[in-house]
Amino acid sequence: ACWCSYKYLNAGPGSIAAAFVHARHADSPSLPRFAGWWGHDEETRFDMTRPFSPERGAKGFQLSNPPIMQCVALIASLEIFQQVGMRRVRSKGV
């Protein structure tokens, strides 16, 4: 399962997204994954060694740091949603 902040948080392309990885797959070395900077084993992350050695669990699927400008825009959206309340936001979509 995947989610993004594009539709419901008014984000733009390249903003924060995520994927759910079931626990039974989280430590599978044979499962294809992107070899992201933050997913590399923390003990050797800055050694710049190969091959990619993923963190255990869901942490091994992290790709990179979040884009700061996109995060700032998301904070503004969340503040507006908090001010008006989810009941009013939901009433617009039904």
Side-chain angles (χ1 to χ4, degrees):
C2 297
W3 65 266
C4 70
S5 51
Y6 187 82
K7 183 175 181 179
Y8 296 108
L9 291 178
N10 305 317
S15 193
I16 297 172
F20 170 78
V21 180
H22 193 280
R24 71 174 178 247
H25 302 298
D27 291 323
S28 174
S30 63
L31 189 66
R33 68 176 84 205
F34 292 114
W37 178 258
W38 292 111
H40 197 282
D41 179 30
E42 191 172 353
E43 296 296 319
T44 59
R45 183 176 295 157
F46 297 104
D47 293 347
M48 306 296 181
T49 57
R50 293 182 187 256
F52 175 71
S53 175
E55 284 272 359
R56 292 187 52 93
K59 291 175 77 174
F61 289 86
Q62 297 179 97
L63 293 179
S64 183
N65 52 310
I68 299 304
M69 295 306 285
Q70 291 287 350
C71 290
V72 171
L74 292 178
I75 290 170
S77 278
L78 290 170
E79 288 173 348
I80 291 170
F81 291 154
Q82 186 173 9
Q83 287 174 4
V84 299
M86 288 310 296
R87 182 172 292 162
R88 287 181 62 197
V89 171
R90 179 76 177 123
S91 72
K92 292 286 191 179
V94 177

Coordinates of all heavy atoms in Angstrom, one line a residue:
A1 N 0.8 -1.2 0.0 CA 0.0 0.0 0.0 C 0.9 1.2 0.0 O 1.9 1.3 0.7 CB -0.9 0.0 1.2
C2 N 0.5 2.2 -0.8 CA 1.3 3.5 -0.9 C 0.4 4.7 -0.6 O -0.8 4.6 -0.7 CB 1.9 3.6 -2.2 SG 3.0 2.4 -2.7
W3 N 1.0 5.7 -0.1 CA 0.3 7.0 0.1 C 1.2 8.1 -0.3 O 2.4 8.0 -0.4 CB -0.2 7.2 1.5 CG 0.8 7.3 2.5 CD1 1.4 6.3 3.3 CD2 1.5 8.5 2.9 NE1 2.3 6.8 4.1 CE2 2.4 8.1 3.9 CE3 1.4 9.8 2.5 CZ2 3.3 9.1 4.5 CZ3 2.3 10.8 3.1 CH2 3.2 10.4 4.1
C4 N 0.6 9.3 -0.6 CA 1.3 10.5 -0.9 C 0.6 11.7 -0.3 O -0.5 11.5 0.2 CB 1.5 10.7 -2.4 SG 0.0 11.1 -3.3
S5 N 1.2 12.8 -0.3 CA 0.6 14.0 0.2 C 0.1 14.9 -0.9 O -0.3 16.0 -0.6 CB 1.6 14.7 1.1 OG 2.9 14.9 0.5
Y6 N 0.2 14.4 -2.1 CA -0.2 15.3 -3.2 C -1.7 15.7 -3.3 O -2.0 16.8 -3.4 CB 0.2 14.5 -4.5 CG 0.0 15.3 -5.8 CD1 1.0 16.2 -6.2 CD2 -1.1 15.2 -6.6 CE1 0.9 16.9 -7.3 CE2 -1.3 15.9 -7.7 CZ -0.3 16.8 -8.1 OH -0.4 17.6 -9.2
K7 N -2.6 14.7 -3.1 CA -4.0 15.0 -3.2 C -4.6 15.6 -2.0 O -5.2 16.6 -2.0 CB -4.7 13.7 -3.5 CG -6.2 13.9 -3.7 CD -6.9 12.6 -4.2 CE -8.4 12.8 -4.4 NZ -9.0 11.6 -4.9
Y8 N -4.4 15.0 -0.8 CA -5.1 15.4 0.4 C -4.4 16.5 1.2 O -5.1 17.1 2.0 CB -5.5 14.2 1.3 CG -6.4 13.2 0.6 CD1 -5.9 12.0 0.1 CD2 -7.7 13.6 0.3 CE1 -6.8 11.1 -0.6 CE2 -8.5 12.7 -0.3 CZ -8.1 11.5 -0.8 OH -8.9 10.6 -1.4
L9 N -3.2 16.7 1.0 CA -2.5 17.8 1.7 C -2.0 18.9 0.8 O -1.2 19.7 1.2 CB -1.3 17.2 2.5 CG -1.6 16.2 3.6 CD1 -0.3 15.7 4.2 CD2 -2.4 17.0 4.7
N10 N -2.5 18.9 -0.4 CA -2.2 20.0 -1.3 C -0.7 20.1 -1.7 O -0.2 21.2 -1.9 CB -2.8 21.3 -0.8 CG -4.2 21.3 -0.5 OD1 -5.0 20.7 -1.2 ND2 -4.6 21.8 0.7
A11 N 0.0 19.0 -1.7 CA 1.4 19.1 -2.0 C 1.6 19.1 -3.5 O 0.7 18.9 -4.2 CB 2.1 17.8 -1.3
G12 N 2.8 19.2 -3.9 CA 3.1 19.2 -5.3 C 4.0 18.0 -5.6 O 4.4 17.2 -4.8
P13 N 4.4 17.9 -6.9 CA 5.3 16.8 -7.3 C 6.6 16.7 -6.5 O 7.2 17.8 -6.2 CB 5.6 17.1 -8.8 CG 4.5 18.0 -9.2 CD 4.1 18.8 -8.0
G14 N 7.0 15.5 -6.1 CA 8.2 15.4 -5.4 C 8.0 15.5 -3.9 O 9.0 15.5 -3.1
S15 N 6.8 15.7 -3.4 CA 6.6 15.8 -2.0 C 6.6 14.4 -1.3 O 6.8 13.4 -1.9 CB 5.2 16.5 -1.8 OG 5.1 16.9 -0.4
I16 N 6.4 14.4 0.0 CA 6.5 13.3 0.8 C 5.5 12.2 0.4 O 4.3 12.5 0.1 CB 6.3 13.6 2.3 CG1 7.4 14.6 2.7 CG2 6.3 12.4 3.2 CD1 7.2 15.2 4.1
A17 N 6.0 11.0 0.4 CA 5.2 9.8 0.1 C 5.7 8.6 0.9 O 6.8 8.7 1.5 CB 5.2 9.5 -1.4
A18 N 5.0 7.5 0.9 CA 5.4 6.4 1.7 C 4.8 5.1 1.1 O 3.9 5.1 0.4 CB 5.0 6.5 3.2
A19 N 5.4 4.0 1.5 CA 4.9 2.7 1.2 C 4.8 1.8 2.4 O 5.8 1.9 3.2 CB 5.7 2.1 0.1
F20 N 3.8 1.0 2.5 CA 3.7 0.0 3.6 C 4.4 -1.2 3.2 O 4.2 -1.7 2.1 CB 2.3 -0.3 3.9 CG 2.1 -1.4 4.9 CD1 2.3 -1.3 6.2 CD2 1.8 -2.7 4.4 CE1 2.2 -2.3 7.1 CE2 1.6 -3.8 5.3 CZ 1.8 -3.6 6.7
V21 N 5.3 -1.7 4.0 CA 6.0 -3.0 3.8 C 5.6 -3.9 4.9 O 5.9 -3.6 6.1 CB 7.5 -2.8 3.7 CG1 8.2 -4.1 3.5 CG2 7.9 -1.8 2.7
H22 N 5.0 -5.0 4.6 CA 4.6 -6.0 5.6 C 5.8 -6.5 6.3 O 6.9 -6.7 5.7 CB 3.8 -7.1 5.0 CG 3.1 -8.0 6.0 ND1 3.7 -9.0 6.7 CD2 1.8 -8.0 6.4 CE1 2.9 -9.6 7.5 NE2 1.7 -9.0 7.4
A23 N 5.7 -6.8 7.6 CA 6.8 -7.3 8.4 C 7.5 -8.5 7.8 O 8.7 -8.7 7.9 CB 6.4 -7.6 9.9
R24 N 6.7 -9.4 7.2 CA 7.3 -10.6 6.7 C 8.2 -10.4 5.5 O 9.0 -11.2 5.1 CB 6.2 -11.6 6.3 CG 5.4 -11.3 5.1 CD 4.4 -12.4 4.7 NE 3.6 -12.1 3.6 CZ 2.3 -11.9 3.7 NH1 1.7 -12.1 4.8 NH2 1.6 -11.6 2.6
H25 N 8.1 -9.2 4.9 CA 9.0 -8.8 3.8 C 10.1 -7.8 4.2 O 11.0 -7.6 3.4 CB 8.2 -8.2 2.6 CG 7.1 -9.0 2.1 ND1 7.3 -10.2 1.5 CD2 5.7 -8.9 2.1 CE1 6.1 -10.8 1.2 NE2 5.2 -10.0 1.5
A26 N 10.0 -7.2 5.3 CA 10.9 -6.1 5.7 C 12.3 -6.5 5.7 O 13.2 -5.7 5.4 CB 10.4 -5.6 7.1
D27 N 12.7 -7.7 6.1 CA 14.1 -8.1 6.2 C 14.5 -9.0 5.0 O 15.6 -9.6 5.1 CB 14.4 -8.8 7.5 CG 14.3 -7.8 8.6 OD1 14.7 -6.6 8.4 OD2 13.8 -8.1 9.7
S28 N 13.7 -9.1 4.0 CA 14.0 -10.0 2.9 C 15.1 -9.4 2.0 O 14.8 -8.4 1.3 CB 12.7 -10.3 2.1 OG 13.1 -11.0 0.9
P29 N 16.3 -10.0 1.9 CA 17.3 -9.4 1.0 C 17.0 -9.6 -0.5 O 17.6 -8.9 -1.3 CB 18.6 -10.1 1.4 CG 18.1 -11.4 2.0 CD 16.7 -11.1 2.6
S30 N 16.1 -10.5 -0.8 CA 15.8 -10.7 -2.2 C 14.7 -9.8 -2.7 O 14.5 -9.7 -3.9 CB 15.4 -12.2 -2.4 OG 14.2 -12.4 -1.7
L31 N 14.1 -9.1 -1.9 CA 13.0 -8.1 -2.3 C 13.6 -6.9 -3.0 O 14.5 -6.3 -2.4 CB 12.2 -7.7 -1.1 CG 10.9 -6.9 -1.4 CD1 9.9 -7.8 -2.1 CD2 10.3 -6.4 -0.1
P32 N 13.2 -6.6 -4.2 CA 13.8 -5.5 -4.9 C 13.5 -4.2 -4.2 O 12.4 -4.0 -3.6 CB 13.0 -5.4 -6.3 CG 12.4 -6.8 -6.4 CD 12.2 -7.3 -5.0
R33 N 14.4 -3.3 -4.1 CA 14.2 -2.0 -3.4 C 15.2 -1.0 -4.0 O 16.2 -1.4 -4.6 CB 14.4 -2.1 -1.9 CG 15.9 -2.4 -1.5 CD 16.1 -2.4 0.0 NE 15.7 -3.7 0.5 CZ 15.4 -4.0 1.7 NH1 15.3 -3.0 2.6 NH2 15.1 -5.2 2.2
F34 N 14.9 0.3 -3.9 CA 15.8 1.3 -4.2 C 16.9 1.4 -3.1 O 16.5 1.3 -1.9 CB 15.2 2.7 -4.3 CG 14.2 2.7 -5.5 CD1 12.9 2.9 -5.3 CD2 14.7 2.7 -6.8 CE1 12.0 3.0 -6.4 CE2 13.9 2.7 -7.9 CZ 12.5 2.9 -7.7
A35 N 18.1 1.6 -3.4 CA 19.2 1.7 -2.4 C 19.3 3.1 -2.0 O 20.2 3.8 -2.5 CB 20.5 1.1 -3.0
G36 N 18.5 3.6 -1.1 CA 18.5 5.0 -0.7 C 19.5 5.3 0.4 O 19.8 4.4 1.2
W37 N 19.9 6.5 0.5 CA 20.9 6.9 1.5 C 20.5 6.6 2.9 O 21.2 6.0 3.7 CB 21.1 8.4 1.3 CG 22.1 9.0 2.3 CD1 21.7 9.7 3.4 CD2 23.5 9.0 2.2 NE1 22.9 10.2 4.0 CE2 24.0 9.7 3.3 CE3 24.4 8.4 1.4 CZ2 25.3 9.9 3.6 CZ3 25.7 8.6 1.6 CH2 26.2 9.3 2.7
W38 N 19.2 6.9 3.3 CA 18.8 6.7 4.6 C 18.4 5.3 4.9 O 18.2 4.9 6.0 CB 17.6 7.7 5.0 CG 18.1 9.1 5.0 CD1 17.9 10.1 4.2 CD2 19.0 9.6 6.0 NE1 18.5 11.2 4.5 CE2 19.3 11.0 5.6 CE3 19.7 9.1 7.1 CZ2 20.1 11.8 6.4 CZ3 20.5 10.0 7.8 CH2 20.7 11.3 7.5
G39 N 18.3 4.4 3.9 CA 18.0 3.0 4.1 C 19.2 2.2 4.3 O 19.1 1.0 4.7
H40 N 20.4 2.7 4.1 CA 21.6 2.0 4.3 C 21.9 1.8 5.8 O 21.6 2.7 6.6 CB 22.8 2.8 3.7 CG 24.0 1.9 3.4 ND1 24.9 1.6 4.5 CD2 24.5 1.3 2.3 CE1 25.9 0.9 4.0 NE2 25.6 0.7 2.7
D41 N 22.5 0.7 6.2 CA 22.8 0.4 7.5 C 23.5 1.6 8.2 O 24.5 2.0 7.7 CB 23.7 -0.9 7.6 CG 24.1 -1.2 9.0 OD1 23.3 -0.9 10.0 OD2 25.2 -1.8 9.2
E42 N 23.0 2.0 9.3 CA 23.5 3.2 10.0 C 25.0 3.1 10.4 O 25.8 4.0 10.4 CB 22.7 3.6 11.2 CG 23.0 4.9 11.8 CD 22.0 5.3 12.9 OE1 21.0 4.6 13.1 OE2 22.2 6.3 13.5
E43 N 25.4 1.9 10.7 CA 26.8 1.6 11.2 C 27.8 1.9 10.1 O 28.9 2.2 10.3 CB 26.9 0.2 11.7 CG 26.1 -0.1 13.0 CD 26.5 0.8 14.1 OE1 27.8 0.9 14.4 OE2 25.7 1.2 14.9
T44 N 27.4 1.6 8.8 CA 28.3 1.8 7.7 C 27.9 2.8 6.7 O 28.5 2.9 5.6 CB 28.5 0.4 7.0 OG1 27.3 0.0 6.5 CG2 29.1 -0.6 7.9
R45 N 26.9 3.6 7.0 CA 26.3 4.5 6.0 C 27.3 5.5 5.5 O 27.3 5.8 4.3 CB 25.1 5.3 6.7 CG 24.4 6.3 5.8 CD 23.3 6.9 6.5 NE 22.3 5.9 6.9 CZ 21.4 6.1 7.9 NH1 21.4 7.2 8.6 NH2 20.5 5.1 8.1
F46 N 28.2 6.0 6.3 CA 29.1 7.0 5.8 C 30.5 6.4 5.4 O 31.4 7.2 5.1 CB 29.3 8.1 6.9 CG 28.1 8.8 7.2 CD1 27.4 8.5 8.4 CD2 27.6 9.8 6.4 CE1 26.2 9.2 8.7 CE2 26.4 10.4 6.6 CZ 25.7 10.2 7.8
D47 N 30.6 5.1 5.3 CA 31.8 4.5 4.8 C 31.8 4.4 3.3 O 32.9 4.2 2.7 CB 31.9 3.0 5.4 CG 32.1 3.0 6.9 OD1 32.4 4.0 7.5 OD2 32.0 1.9 7.4
M48 N 30.7 4.7 2.7 CA 30.6 4.7 1.2 C 31.0 3.3 0.6 O 31.7 3.3 -0.4 CB 31.4 5.8 0.6 CG 31.1 7.2 1.1 SD 29.4 7.6 0.7 CE 29.4 9.2 1.4
T49 N 30.7 2.3 1.3 CA 31.1 0.9 0.8 C 30.0 0.3 0.0 O 28.8 0.8 0.0 CB 31.3 0.0 2.0 OG1 30.2 -0.1 2.8 CG2 32.5 0.4 2.8
R50 N 30.3 -0.7 -0.8 CA 29.4 -1.4 -1.6 C 29.5 -2.9 -1.2 O 30.6 -3.3 -0.8 CB 29.6 -1.2 -3.1 CG 29.4 0.2 -3.5 CD 29.6 0.3 -5.0 NE 29.5 1.6 -5.4 CZ 28.5 2.2 -6.1 NH1 27.5 1.4 -6.4 NH2 28.5 3.4 -6.4
P51 N 28.5 -3.7 -1.3 CA 27.2 -3.4 -1.8 C 26.3 -2.7 -0.7 O 26.7 -2.6 0.4 CB 26.6 -4.8 -2.2 CG 27.3 -5.7 -1.1 CD 28.6 -5.1 -0.9
F52 N 25.1 -2.3 -1.2 CA 24.1 -1.7 -0.3 C 23.8 -2.7 0.8 O 23.5 -3.8 0.6 CB 22.9 -1.3 -1.1 CG 21.7 -0.8 -0.3 CD1 21.8 0.4 0.3 CD2 20.6 -1.6 -0.1 CE1 20.7 0.9 1.0 CE2 19.5 -1.1 0.6 CZ 19.6 0.2 1.2
S53 N 23.8 -2.2 2.0 CA 23.5 -3.0 3.2 C 22.3 -2.3 3.9 O 22.5 -1.4 4.7 CB 24.7 -3.1 4.1 OG 24.4 -3.8 5.3
P54 N 21.1 -2.8 3.7 CA 19.9 -2.1 4.2 C 19.8 -2.3 5.7 O 20.2 -3.2 6.3 CB 18.7 -2.8 3.5 CG 19.2 -4.2 3.2 CD 20.7 -4.0 2.9
E55 N 19.2 -1.2 6.3 CA 18.8 -1.3 7.7 C 17.7 -2.4 7.9 O 17.1 -2.8 6.9 CB 18.1 0.0 8.2 CG 19.0 1.2 8.4 CD 19.5 1.2 9.8 OE1 19.1 0.4 10.7 OE2 20.3 2.1 10.1
R56 N 17.6 -2.9 9.1 CA 16.6 -4.0 9.3 C 15.2 -3.3 9.3 O 15.0 -2.2 9.8 CB 16.8 -4.7 10.6 CG 18.1 -5.6 10.6 CD 18.2 -6.4 11.8 NE 17.0 -7.2 12.1 CZ 16.8 -8.4 11.7 NH1 17.7 -9.0 10.9 NH2 15.7 -9.1 12.0
G57 N 14.2 -4.1 8.9 CA 12.8 -3.6 8.9 C 12.5 -2.5 7.9 O 13.2 -2.4 6.9
A58 N 11.5 -1.8 8.2 CA 11.0 -0.7 7.3 C 12.0 0.4 7.1 O 12.0 1.0 6.0 CB 9.7 -0.1 7.8
K59 N 12.9 0.6 8.0 CA 13.9 1.6 7.9 C 14.8 1.4 6.6 O 15.3 2.3 6.1 CB 14.8 1.7 9.1 CG 14.1 2.2 10.3 CD 14.9 2.2 11.6 CE 15.9 3.3 11.5 NZ 16.7 3.3 12.8
G60 N 14.9 0.1 6.2 CA 15.8 -0.2 5.1 C 15.2 0.2 3.7 O 15.8 0.1 2.7
F61 N 14.0 0.7 3.8 CA 13.3 1.2 2.5 C 13.3 2.7 2.4 O 12.8 3.2 1.4 CB 11.9 0.6 2.5 CG 11.8 -0.9 2.2 CD1 11.9 -1.7 3.3 CD2 11.7 -1.4 0.9 CE1 11.9 -3.1 3.1 CE2 11.7 -2.7 0.7 CZ 11.8 -3.6 1.8
Q62 N 13.9 3.4 3.3 CA 14.0 4.8 3.2 C 14.9 5.2 2.1 O 15.9 4.6 1.8 CB 14.5 5.4 4.5 CG 13.6 5.2 5.7 CD 14.3 5.8 7.0 OE1 13.9 6.9 7.4 NE2 15.2 5.1 7.6
L63 N 14.5 6.3 1.4 CA 15.3 6.7 0.3 C 16.2 7.9 0.6 O 17.4 7.9 0.3 CB 14.4 7.1 -0.9 CG 13.7 5.9 -1.5 CD1 12.8 6.3 -2.7 CD2 14.7 4.8 -2.0
S64 N 15.6 9.0 1.1 CA 16.4 10.2 1.2 C 15.7 11.1 2.3 O 14.7 10.8 2.8 CB 16.4 10.9 -0.1 OG 17.2 12.1 -0.1
N65 N 16.3 12.2 2.5 CA 15.7 13.2 3.4 C 14.5 13.9 2.7 O 14.5 14.0 1.5 CB 16.8 14.2 3.9 CG 17.5 14.8 2.7 OD1 18.0 14.1 1.8 ND2 17.6 16.2 2.7
P66 N 13.6 14.3 3.5 CA 12.4 15.0 2.9 C 12.8 16.3 2.3 O 13.6 17.0 2.8 CB 11.4 15.2 4.0 CG 12.2 15.1 5.2 CD 13.4 14.2 4.9
P67 N 12.1 16.7 1.2 CA 12.4 18.0 0.6 C 11.9 19.1 1.5 O 10.7 19.2 1.7 CB 11.7 18.0 -0.8 CG 10.7 16.9 -0.6 CD 11.2 16.0 0.4
I68 N 12.7 20.0 1.9 CA 12.4 21.0 2.9 C 11.3 22.0 2.4 O 10.3 22.2 3.2 CB 13.6 21.8 3.4 CG1 14.6 20.9 4.0 CG2 13.2 22.9 4.3 CD1 14.1 20.1 5.2
M69 N 11.4 22.5 1.2 CA 10.4 23.4 0.8 C 9.0 22.7 0.7 O 8.0 23.4 0.9 CB 10.8 24.0 -0.6 CG 12.0 24.8 -0.5 SD 11.9 26.2 0.7 CE 10.9 27.3 -0.1
Q70 N 8.9 21.5 0.3 CA 7.7 20.8 0.3 C 7.1 20.6 1.7 O 5.9 20.7 1.9 CB 7.8 19.4 -0.4 CG 8.1 19.5 -1.9 CD 6.8 19.9 -2.7 OE1 5.7 19.9 -2.1 NE2 7.0 20.2 -3.9
C71 N 8.0 20.3 2.6 CA 7.6 20.2 4.0 C 6.9 21.5 4.6 O 5.9 21.4 5.3 CB 8.7 19.7 4.9 SG 9.3 18.0 4.6
V72 N 7.5 22.6 4.2 CA 7.0 23.9 4.7 C 5.6 24.1 4.1 O 4.7 24.5 4.9 CB 7.9 25.0 4.2 CG1 7.3 26.4 4.5 CG2 9.3 24.9 5.0
A73 N 5.4 23.7 2.9 CA 4.0 23.9 2.3 C 3.1 22.9 3.0 O 1.9 23.3 3.2 CB 4.1 23.6 0.8
L74 N 3.5 21.7 3.3 CA 2.6 20.8 4.0 C 2.2 21.3 5.4 O 1.1 21.1 5.9 CB 3.3 19.4 4.1 CG 3.4 18.7 2.8 CD1 4.1 17.4 3.1 CD2 2.1 18.5 2.1
I75 N 3.2 22.0 6.1 CA 2.9 22.5 7.4 C 1.7 23.6 7.3 O 0.8 23.6 8.1 CB 4.1 23.1 8.0 CG1 5.1 22.0 8.4 CG2 3.8 24.0 9.2 CD1 6.5 22.5 8.9
A76 N 1.8 24.4 6.2 CA 0.8 25.4 6.0 C -0.6 24.7 5.8 O -1.6 25.2 6.4 CB 1.1 26.3 4.9
S77 N -0.6 23.7 5.0 CA -1.9 23.0 4.8 C -2.4 22.4 6.0 O -3.6 22.5 6.3 CB -1.7 21.8 3.7 OG -1.7 22.3 2.4
L78 N -1.6 21.7 6.8 CA -2.0 21.1 8.1 C -2.5 22.1 9.0 O -3.5 21.9 9.8 CB -0.9 20.3 8.7 CG -0.5 19.0 7.9 CD1 0.8 18.4 8.4 CD2 -1.6 18.0 7.9
E79 N -1.9 23.3 9.1 CA -2.4 24.4 10.0 C -3.8 24.8 9.6 O -4.7 25.0 10.4 CB -1.4 25.5 10.0 CG -0.2 25.2 10.7 CD 0.9 26.3 10.6 OE1 0.7 27.2 9.8 OE2 1.9 26.2 11.3
I80 N -4.1 25.0 8.3 CA -5.4 25.4 7.8 C -6.4 24.3 8.1 O -7.5 24.6 8.6 CB -5.4 25.7 6.3 CG1 -4.5 26.9 6.0 CG2 -6.8 25.8 5.7 CD1 -4.2 27.2 4.6
F81 N -6.1 23.0 7.9 CA -7.0 21.9 8.2 C -7.3 21.9 9.7 O -8.4 21.6 10.1 CB -6.4 20.6 7.8 CG -6.4 20.4 6.3 CD1 -5.4 19.6 5.7 CD2 -7.2 21.1 5.4 CE1 -5.3 19.4 4.3 CE2 -7.2 20.9 4.0 CZ -6.2 20.0 3.5
Q82 N -6.3 22.2 10.5 CA -6.6 22.2 11.9 C -7.5 23.3 12.3 O -8.3 23.2 13.2 CB -5.2 22.3 12.7 CG -5.4 22.1 14.2 CD -4.0 22.1 14.9 OE1 -3.0 22.3 14.3 NE2 -4.1 21.8 16.2
Q83 N -7.3 24.5 11.7 CA -8.2 25.6 12.0 C -9.7 25.4 11.7 O -10.6 25.7 12.5 CB -7.7 26.9 11.3 CG -6.5 27.5 11.8 CD -6.0 28.6 10.9 OE1 -6.6 29.0 9.9 NE2 -4.8 29.1 11.3
V84 N -9.9 24.8 10.5 CA -11.3 24.6 10.1 C -11.9 23.3 10.6 O -13.1 23.2 10.7 CB -11.5 24.7 8.5 CG1 -11.0 26.0 8.0 CG2 -10.8 23.5 7.9
G85 N -11.1 22.3 10.9 CA -11.6 21.1 11.5 C -11.9 20.1 10.3 O -12.3 20.5 9.3
M86 N -11.7 18.8 10.6 CA -11.9 17.8 9.6 C -13.3 17.6 9.2 O -13.6 17.2 8.1 CB -11.3 16.4 10.1 CG -9.7 16.4 10.1 SD -9.0 17.0 8.5 CE -9.5 15.8 7.4
R87 N -14.3 17.9 10.1 CA -15.7 17.8 9.8 C -16.0 18.7 8.6 O -16.7 18.3 7.6 CB -16.5 18.1 11.0 CG -18.0 17.9 10.7 CD -18.8 18.0 11.9 NE -18.5 16.8 12.7 CZ -18.8 16.7 14.0 NH1 -19.3 17.6 14.7 NH2 -18.5 15.6 14.6
R88 N -15.5 19.9 8.7 CA -15.8 20.9 7.6 C -15.1 20.5 6.3 O -15.6 20.6 5.2 CB -15.5 22.3 8.0 CG -16.5 22.8 9.0 CD -16.2 24.3 9.4 NE -16.2 25.2 8.3 CZ -15.7 26.4 8.3 NH1 -15.1 26.8 9.4 NH2 -15.8 27.2 7.3
V89 N -13.9 20.0 6.4 CA -13.1 19.6 5.3 C -13.8 18.4 4.6 O -14.0 18.4 3.4 CB -11.7 19.2 5.6 CG1 -10.9 18.5 4.5 CG2 -10.9 20.4 6.1
R90 N -14.2 17.5 5.4 CA -14.9 16.3 4.9 C -16.3 16.6 4.2 O -16.6 16.1 3.2 CB -15.2 15.3 6.0 CG -15.9 14.0 5.6 CD -15.0 13.1 4.9 NE -15.7 11.9 4.6 CZ -15.9 11.4 3.4 NH1 -15.4 12.0 2.4 NH2 -16.6 10.3 3.2
S91 N -17.0 17.6 4.7 CA -18.3 18.0 4.2 C -18.1 18.6 2.7 O -19.0 18.5 1.9 CB -19.0 19.1 5.1 OG -18.3 20.3 5.0
K92 N -17.0 19.1 2.4 CA -16.7 19.6 1.1 C -16.5 18.5 0.1 O -16.7 18.6 -1.1 CB -15.5 20.5 1.1 CG -15.6 21.8 1.8 CD -16.5 22.7 1.0 CE -16.5 24.1 1.6 NZ -17.3 25.0 0.8
G93 N -16.1 17.3 0.6 CA -15.8 16.2 -0.3 C -16.9 15.2 -0.5 O -16.8 14.3 -1.3
V94 N -18.0 15.4 0.3 CA -19.1 14.4 0.2 C -20.2 14.9 -0.6 O -20.5 16.1 -0.7 CB -19.6 14.0 1.6 CG1 -20.7 13.1 1.5 CG2 -18.4 13.4 2.4

